[in-house]
Amino acid sequence: MHDTGTAPAPTAPAPEDHQNHESRHARRFGLPIATALVMGNIIGGGIFLLPASVAPYGTISLVAFGVLTVGAIALALVFGRLAKRHPQTGGPYVYAREAFGDFAGFLAAWSYWITTWVSNAALAVAAVGYLDVLLPIHGSTLWTIVAALACQWLPALANLGGTRYVGAVQLVSTVLKFAPLLLVAIGGLFFFDADNLGPFQGGGDSPVGAISASAAILLFSYLGVESASMSAGEVRDPERNVGRATVLGTGLAALVYLLCTVSVFGTVAHDKLVDSTAPFTDAVNAMFGGTWGGTAVAIAALVSMVGALNGWTLLAAQAPYAPAKDGLFPAAFARKKRGVPTFGVIVGVSLASLLTIYNYTAGSGGVFESLVLITTFTATVPYLLATGAQIYFLLSGQSDRVNKGRLARDMTLALAAFGFSMWLVGGAGYAAVYQGVLFLFVGVLVYAWMSARKKRAAGSPAGD
């Protein structure tokens, strides 16, 4: 599943882009690059705030990391199987539409699109936490909102300038992203102090409830597990490489996450970590003393998160591109300028901005956590549809999609991934599911409108 990674994979381009002949850009990703794509997309900006977000649940959240990793790998294996049988760019949108028709494909695309711009709002909030280390603004709600909006609109302007600027920002942010992560993940182990860990289980939840709740927040850091399948059309030998790249990328990202979280837990006192808005800065300050190291990490983390916003702003524009070409989204989402769907960029950043303002002014605590939990629900919708599609292919006995020798194993994986996704929905909590469902149901109205337009354009009588 996918954290707001630094360079999200494009969604499906127009059908005409996938004709029998391959362009000079087609099938260019081998296994190493596809693995790096998955790992880079999963490891984004959210990790810089997540240790503080799960700290209230106690060190039991490390157990949630383990459970989440197993579930993510099950999902990764299912995506690999689906990509092997349907090696097209587009991921869950393609699988859901193939199995259940246009409406299911639309729901997968719509929910994934919601995930992208809600994730941008969450990333902007996380970025402001590290900006506060450099320019203290925590005392003013107005300046906090202004800073969060700036973190969203600057990457949007870079996207509107064309893909060349997007690529330049991505290169710098990727280098700066891994520097603090590796410093904390490896260096923090040498300064680990068990007295900093705090209680094994915090709060009043049962152990199962605490694991579920912390896993729902941590899912944000795994958004991206579908990256290789989203780009299957550009992966060399996708039937073989998509599954392998997905599992390898997910496993390596999980290792980095676990080391970082353990290091932060062991270097920052628990009572301070719970209220931290910049846990990596606090960890480096605790490791080396003073504030110079923490300030440097804050700068690197801030650039990294702006880079993640840069990539996810583009993804928020690309996510509705393929459905728009198929007539399931408004046609404006399919128009490009300088290689970027500009309408999608503007709509995505505008919605993220409105959501950011609402969550800050509503007076609810934990703005980052609230936004993250919404993405937990919206991200699981395409995962549920994709795993449901796999179950459908297996049960329907479609000979071109089912390896009968692997039927039992594939069914077990699909059911495990489906159950895992349902468990995450429950862990997201009522408030997040409520807001997510409202966003999802607005899509029903959009689908009705687009379907009616397609029917009129085809000249079919109403009621056919």
Side-chain angles (χ1 to χ4, degrees), residues 75 134 136 147 170 192 199 217 219 242 281 292 321 369 373 420 432:
L75 268 174
L134 308 173
Q170 291 304 104
F192 187 89
I217 292 176
L219 172 64
V242 167
T281 287
W292 64 268
Y321 179 77
E369 291 79 6
L373 289 174
F420 170 70

Side-chain angles (χ1 to χ4, degrees), residues 360-387:
Y360 271 122
T361 56
S364 59
V367 175
F368 176 78
E369 291 79 6
S370 299
L371 293 171
V372 162
L373 289 174
I374 294 173
T375 67
T376 296
F377 173 75
T378 57
T380 51
V381 172
Y383 294 157
L384 286 168
L385 287 169
T387 52

